[in-house]
Amino acid sequence: MVPAKNRAKYFNLVYIAGWAGLGLGPFMASYIDVLNPVIGWRIIFGIGATLAFIVLAIRGHATETVRMLALKGKVAEAEKVVEDMEKKAMEKTGLTSLPEPKVYNFQTKKVDPFYVFKNPKYRLRVIVIMLAIFFFYFGEYPYLTEFLLWTSSVSSLSSIANTVTLYYGDAGVATFLGAIALRYIVEKIRRGILTTIAYGVGMLLGVTIAIIGAVSTNLPLMLGGFLLTNFIGVGWSNQMDYINGTENVPTYARATAFAFMDGVAHLGAAISTAIILSLISTYGAIPIWIGFQIPMVIMGIVLIFILPNTINRSLEEINEAEAGI
């Protein structure tokens, strides 16, 4: 629904709003929980449920994308959406006319969304992106859901459990700030490179610092790890994964392919959160926490070589005109 040259920036706006919840949410939730552990968690979930119903009502009025309307043969409706967008653009910019569109020649046909797997280029892109998100979730979800559970079992941290919880929650604000910072470079650096930076610097390095700080009971070091992990790791990685998953497949399969990538990838979260604590008790905290982050960095490097450069390029150019149907 947005111009190619600003696609990632608009995408980033969505995440700034979302990360305001994910970033500020833990900050507020940690204080609610510590103030009253008996009912605090109920209040937290109650707020989330209320907001979810509000979102459901908003989404019921969302407009279908122009590409999908055209693909379904609803040309008049698509033209009306485009006309409204062009009118608003001219009003906002003060232009009396718009530049001529760049035309790409390609064929479309009605096919099952899973037809995308018959095209070797799309098949490779989908599998590689799915594995990258799989291993990102494999490392991220234990940090988001199991870290405080693990610290509660560390004898040197048990006496300062509330402090650790507050530090962990306070660092959530960095996720929101990280999303804002990404806005200034997201259209300047290739997606695969940014994804790898987010994985390597944010998750691998950030979690490593946090774990070393926790094991050595160095609270400032642990907080620094929290901040780095949230600022770049969580703040950048998710939105880079999602934009990779939606830019690199054709219109007829965009939603289905991404559902496949993200859906299968969540198995990584299910597996890692189920096994990490038992592995830590057997092999130690540092090698397991760090080891869980390494595969995503490897996959990030793979993305650099597999995915095309999508900056300032239309989705049709990236996909249908370049890779076919």
Side-chain angles (χ1 to χ4, degrees):
M1 299 290 287
V2 298
K5 68 176 183 178
N6 288 320
R7 186 166 52 244
K9 281 189 174 181
Y10 277 92
F11 201 89
N12 174 255
L13 277 179
V14 176
Y15 265 87
I16 289 175
W19 271 193
L22 187 64
L24 301 178
F27 174 78
M28 294 183 291
S30 61
Y31 283 90
I32 294 173
D33 181 56
V34 169
L35 286 173
N36 195 326
V38 177
I39 66 168
W41 66 272
R42 293 178 170 87
I43 294 173
I44 295 166
F45 276 96
I47 294 172
T50 302
L51 294 175
F53 281 109
I54 294 173
V55 171
L56 183 64
I58 294 172
R59 289 176 68 90
H61 296 279
T63 304
E64 179 59 273
T65 67
V66 175
R67 290 180 171 89
M68 187 55 68
L69 289 171
L71 192 65
K72 291 181 177 180
K74 300 179 180 179
V75 179
E77 192 174 343
E79 289 282 5
K80 180 64 169 62
V81 174
V82 172
E83 184 182 332
D84 290 341
M85 292 169 67
E86 290 177 340
K87 182 179 178 181
K88 290 177 182 177
M90 286 190 288
E91 289 176 354
K92 184 176 181 180
T93 60
L95 296 174
T96 56
S97 62
L98 295 173
E100 288 297 313
K102 186 182 292 185
V103 179
Y104 298 101
N105 295 315
F106 57 89
Q107 292 182 335
T108 60
K109 60 181 179 180
K110 290 187 177 181
V111 291
D112 184 278
F114 286 100
Y115 182 84
V116 72
F117 290 102
K118 293 186 178 181
N119 183 311
K121 287 189 177 181
Y122 296 136
R123 183 168 61 239
L124 180 60
R125 293 180 190 177
V126 168
I127 292 173
V128 168
I129 295 170
M130 184 270 291
L131 288 174
I133 302 175
F134 176 95
F135 285 114
F136 168 65
Y137 287 159
F138 188 86
E140 181 205 36
Y141 268 77
Y143 169 76
L144 293 178
T145 64
E146 306 292 301
F147 190 89
L148 291 180
L149 186 59
W150 167 70
T151 56
S152 67
S153 66
V154 179
S155 57
S156 60
L157 297 175
S158 59
S159 61
I160 52 172
N162 280 352
T163 301
V164 174
T165 298
L166 292 176
Y167 276 13
Y168 183 84
D170 291 348
V173 177
T175 308
F176 173 57
L177 298 177
I180 296 175
L182 179 62
R183 182 168 187 78
Y184 297 96
I185 60 173
V186 72
E187 294 287 10
K188 298 177 181 179
I189 303 175
R190 283 188 61 167
R191 317 286 197 231
I193 295 175
L194 272 180
T195 304
T196 305
I197 292 173
Y199 288 171
V201 178
M203 295 306 302
L204 177 57
L205 181 59
V207 170
T208 298
I209 294 172
I211 293 302
I212 293 175
V215 171
S216 61
T217 322
N218 185 330
L219 295 184
L221 184 64
M222 182 178 65
L223 176 59
F226 289 163
L227 292 171
L228 181 59
T229 301
N230 286 16
F231 189 90
I232 297 180
V234 181
W236 294 13
S237 297
N238 283 86
Q239 56 186 302
M240 296 312 304
D241 286 339
Y242 279 33
I243 199 166
N244 287 336
T246 53
E247 283 187 328
N248 292 284
V249 287
T251 298
Y252 73 85
R254 186 159 292 120
T256 300
F258 182 73
F260 171 81
M261 287 184 273
D262 196 47
V264 174
H266 271 85
L267 290 174
I271 294 169
S272 63
T273 53
I275 65 175
I276 190 167
L277 295 181
S278 61
L279 289 178
I280 288 174
S281 64
T282 303
Y283 299 103
I286 292 179
I288 295 303
W289 277 111
I290 295 176
F292 271 43
Q293 314 305 315
I294 293 175
M296 75 173 79
V297 180
I298 296 173
M299 288 309 306
I301 296 171
V302 173
L303 290 178
I304 296 174
F305 294 96
I306 298 299
L307 299 185
N309 183 13
T310 60
I311 295 177
N312 200 23
R313 299 175 68 195
S314 77
L315 296 178
E316 287 77 18
E317 180 187 2
I318 298 165
N319 298 300
E320 289 92 342
E322 183 176 282
I325 298 175

